Amino acid sequence: MVNLVISCGKIGSGSARRNYDSMLLGFKTQLKLNQTQRQQLARHAGVARHAYNWGHGLCLGILSHNTHCSSEEKIKFPTAIDLHKWLNKLVKPESPWYYEVSKCAPQYALRNLAQAWQDCFRKNKARPKFKKKGRQDSFTLDGTIKILSSNKLKVPVIGCLKTYERLPVVPDPKNVTISREADRWFISFKIDVTVAPTDKIVDVVGIDLGIKVLATLSTGEIIKGTNSYRKHEKKLTRLQRKVSRKVFKSANGHKAQVKVQKLHRKIANLRKDTLHKLTSHLCKNHAINVIEDLNVSGMLANHKLAKSIADMGFYEFRRQMEYKSELYGSQLIIVDRFYPSSKTCSNCGAIKDSLPLSERVFYCEHCHLKIDRDLNAARNLEKIGRATAKFTPVDNLEPTPLVEAGSKTNSNVIKIKLSDLMSKFG
């Protein structure tokens, strides 16, 4: 049973620090199914996967045709509507099993495919890939969706579905997404949540993320990571070895693969649980949180540290901090990734030329300060937060020079460039 916040979006206008606005949060929970319902969900996921792969193959064929022909013979790249029309004319007459599931399953799959190609053409993401059975199986339904009771809801075609935990008391959702993780099925939909700022205990805190410990706060507090992958690495290796020794596509091979998926799910849930507890604590009790804009994809290029970096979940930490800052009425300041927070002395401001990772203690040759390097970086981030806020409460509406220089993503998240930091702190 899982109840996680998976996405968010702001509704309404104005600052969350002054008005009690609303946010769209994702509610996800496990379904309580019988064997017939499991077969229905698997059938829907299979149709959605087939439609996605068919449309993806068609798009690749059109791109290949356009690269080897003249401009007059080129075919317009299809939209989601075009793909759906061609699916109805070419695929459905030859595949009667399409009519055993809801029409929404292939329709939303083609919408997701069209969006994936748009992201690829805009160079925001890589080229989409074909979907494989048993990996990230999911589909989306819309139409007549009703919440019947505290643990029961009705969806089109499939009918009534039960949940293990209580459903939120909200209006009936417009659409739901059903996904599979190992041998469990989950349902998710958006709910409207009122933003309720909490009373803050600490004004400003600097947060330095690391590998040895998950986070070091400028207050001196240290939060250790779960290291969930490291702890289960040997067991995962043993289970994967068993999968490799099974006959391909056999019943025993499927059972062994499910065990691997269960362990992966456990590792991910342990990591998410730690991050959710930490980010909620920071946003509820700290008025201003200051973090660095880490280049996570670049850090993962270091193959000696990539496993430890991925095990901490730096990007997920920032994603949760961004929407929870708005949810709990705090402010998040994101400092430029090129700011030398670890090399700068938090006492006198002197900057070292180099500081290798092997040196865990920062020693300043000017003021003779001796301090842990992560704590030193966190205190430097705290200084930036105090300079940005000018020791004023979070709900201060007067912009400071650093705030005006930074680029704002929303009213609660501020990004500060390196040039503005150098002009401010020298």
Side-chain angles (χ1 to χ4, degrees), residues 18-63:
R18 287 293 187 182
N19 303 323
Y20 287 86
D21 296 334
S22 298
M23 295 177 62
L24 283 178
L25 298 183
F27 177 81
K28 184 176 180 179
T29 184
Q30 184 183 347
L31 293 172
K32 187 178 181 180
L33 305 172
N34 54 37
Q35 188 61 29
T36 303
Q37 291 174 333
R38 290 180 180 275
Q39 293 176 356
Q40 287 181 319
L41 298 185
R43 197 177 295 118
H44 277 76
V47 170
R49 182 178 61 254
H50 182 272
Y52 185 95
N53 290 340
W54 172 85
H56 186 39
L58 184 63
C59 293
L60 291 177
I62 291 176
L63 289 177

Side-chain angles (χ1 to χ4, degrees), residues 242-363:
K242 289 183 179 180
V243 173
S244 65
R245 293 173 178 174
K246 302 296 182 183
V247 178
F248 184 64
K249 289 188 177 180
S250 63
N252 288 335
H254 176 70
K255 293 178 183 178
Q257 186 64 38
V258 170
K259 291 182 180 179
V260 174
Q261 294 175 351
K262 286 182 178 180
L263 186 57
H264 274 298
R265 183 183 62 202
K266 180 179 180 179
I267 293 171
N269 287 341
L270 288 172
R271 185 184 301 116
K272 288 179 182 179
D273 179 69
T274 302
L275 292 176
H276 273 293
K277 289 178 179 178
L278 174 59
T279 52
S280 297
H281 168 73
L282 292 173
C283 295
K284 286 181 178 179
N285 301 315
H286 300 78
I288 299 177
N289 298 284
V290 189
I291 63 174
E292 289 181 290
D293 182 19
L294 297 177
N295 182 17
V296 180
S297 58
M299 297 169 64
L300 292 175
N302 184 354
H303 297 293
K304 294 182 179 179
L305 300 176
K307 189 181 295 184
S308 299
I309 294 171
D311 199 12
M312 289 298 177
F314 290 159
Y315 179 79
E316 179 66 14
F317 174 84
R318 172 175 169 175
R319 187 192 72 84
Q320 294 181 14
M321 288 292 294
E322 287 183 353
Y323 80 82
K324 289 185 180 182
S325 296
E326 186 175 358
L327 181 63
Y328 298 119
S330 61
Q331 192 175 46
L332 179 65
I333 298 176
I334 303 174
V335 181
D336 194 288
R337 65 183 59 174
F338 296 106
Y339 174 68
S341 59
S342 298
K343 299 179 182 179
T344 305
C345 178
S346 58
N347 187 32
C348 65
I351 302 177
K352 279 193 171 186
D353 295 332
S354 63
L355 185 67
L357 287 175
S358 57
E359 294 184 15
R360 304 310 305 171
V361 178
F362 179 90
Y363 177 74

Side-chain angles (χ1 to χ4, degrees), residues 395-406:
D395 58 357
N396 181 30
L397 299 180
E398 293 295 330
T400 64
L402 276 178
V403 173
E404 290 177 345

Side-chain angles (χ1 to χ4, degrees), residues 5-23:
V5 178
I6 56 175
S7 63
C8 68
K10 186 176 179 180
I11 302 177
S13 60
S15 173
R17 294 168 290 176
R18 287 293 187 182
N19 303 323
Y20 287 86
D21 296 334
S22 298
M23 295 177 62

Side-chain angles (χ1 to χ4, degrees), residues 127-158:
R127 174 178 288 191
K129 300 179 181 179
F130 287 99
K131 290 184 178 293
K132 188 176 181 180
K133 182 178 180 181
R135 294 187 179 180
Q136 298 179 347
D137 290 336
S138 65
F139 60 93
T140 304
L141 301 176
D142 61 12
T144 307
I145 301 173
K146 295 183 178 180
I147 298 178
L148 303 178
S149 63
S150 60
N151 65 336
K152 185 186 295 184
L153 73 165
K154 185 178 181 181
V155 297
V157 180
I158 300 174

